[in-house]
Amino acid sequence: DARVTQTPRHKVTEMGQEVTMRCQPILGHNTVFWYRQTMMQGLELLAYFRNRAPLDDSGMPKDRFSAEMPDATLATLKIQPSEPRDSAVYFCASNPGTNYGYTFGSGTRLTVV
Amino acid sequence: GEDVEQSLFLSVREGDSSVINCTYTDSSSTYLYWYKQEPGAGLQLLTYIFSNMDMKQDQRLTVLLNKKDKHLSLRIADTQTGDSAIYFCAEIVNSGYALNFGKGTSLLVTP
């Protein structure tokens, strides 16, 4: 089965450090999403791309978060500097440009101490 | 933005039916979804329904849609212990691409 691959699966870092999370979408999927999951807020949309162009990043704290798609096989989410409140599970999802093909990765569990 | 509402917990006995309810926000949502999340895993698409349908059945799963009340439900027949998970309702947001999720319903199936 085709799947969305996220790395790393787990990351523990100290406050103030830079964190980079990576996502390999399913080959042929042209829409990529980043979501953050916490107990308090549930699943929040951070940003998404279509054909590598950012369509919406209004859910992302701009001062410390950045999302990019250097090429069609890689999406990155960076936090610099990281803060304890960024601790969450970050999910990447991809979609072939339809309304019924969203596939989620297994997530990156980030802990900032 | 507005919240997609779901009850937080549901407990059923193995073999019984489970019904998970959801109230969504955007009456123009063209598709509505149910996702399942098992511990430590990502979200798995269970089923979806197009907004011009009232019902969709897929093996043990039945989705009912009431557009007037913006109410969506997921019925799981003959619930098994392997169905224990968190179930998320989601709607397409007005952009047409991203999903807006509820906070999830934790389903516990007891023997």
Side-chain angles (χ1 to χ4, degrees):
Chain A
D1 281 346
R3 55 185 186 144
V4 175
T5 303
Q6 288 189 248
T7 55
R9 286 297 311 275
H10 303 273
K11 176 74 175 178
V12 179
T13 192
E14 291 185 345
M15 184 172 62
Q17 296 297 305
E18 178 179 299
V19 174
T20 299
M21 291 169 270
R22 293 177 173 80
C23 168
Q24 181 178 359
I26 291 174
L27 189 65
H29 281 198
N30 65 353
T31 311
V32 177
F33 306 84
W34 284 104
Y35 284 88
R36 174 171 64 183
Q37 186 179 35
T38 61
M39 288 293 292
M40 292 300 295
Q41 300 298 327
L43 281 154
E44 302 172 278
L45 176 68
L46 296 176
Y48 68 101
F49 296 77
R50 189 166 176 92
N51 296 323
R52 296 177 54 204
L55 283 192
D56 187 351
D57 61 1
S58 59
M60 207 163 62
K62 300 290 192 304
D63 56 339
R64 298 183 300 108
F65 285 59
S66 62
E68 295 179 345
M69 277 202 75
D71 61 59
T73 64
L74 177 64
T76 62
L77 180 66
K78 289 186 183 179
I79 309 174
Q80 168 63 22
S82 56
E83 297 181 2
R85 60 181 166 145
D86 301 328
S87 298
V89 181
Y90 291 80
F91 286 106
C92 175
S94 71
N95 170 290
T98 67
N99 285 129
Y100 44 84
Y102 300 84
T103 304
F104 278 75
S106 298
T108 293
R109 181 174 294 276
L110 175 65
T111 304
V112 183
V113 298
Chain B
E2 294 182 64
D3 291 341
V4 173
E5 300 285 348
Q6 298 180 241
S7 53
L8 290 182
F9 300 103
L10 177 65
S11 180
V12 300
R13 287 192 178 275
E14 191 173 19
D16 289 349
S17 291
S18 309
V19 180
I20 302 171
N21 294 302
C22 167
T23 303
Y24 59 97
T25 66
D26 188 352
S27 58
S28 64
S29 287
T30 51
Y31 286 86
L32 295 139
Y33 306 81
W34 284 103
Y35 279 83
K36 176 183 180 182
Q37 186 179 32
E38 296 180 356
L43 278 76
Q44 172 195 356
L45 178 64
L46 281 181
T47 187
Y48 63 91
I49 187 167
F50 189 49
S51 60
N52 70 352
M53 300 169 68
D54 297 323
M55 185 181 84
K56 179 179 180 180
Q57 188 151 1
D58 185 358
Q59 299 183 328
R60 292 191 297 122
L61 305 179
T62 302
V63 178
L64 295 178
L65 174 59
N66 180 330
K67 285 189 69 176
K68 174 176 167 291
D69 296 334
K70 291 188 281 188
H71 185 262
L72 185 72
S73 68
L74 174 70
R75 178 177 180 269
I76 306 173
D78 186 25
T79 314
Q80 303 297 307
T81 55
D83 294 324
S84 293
I86 303 176
Y87 290 81
F88 292 90
C89 166
E91 63 179 354
I92 292 275
V93 295
N94 54 17
S95 65
Y97 296 120
L99 299 180
N100 184 29
F101 287 89
K103 288 200 165 48
T105 300
S106 289
L107 174 65
L108 176 65
V109 183
T110 56

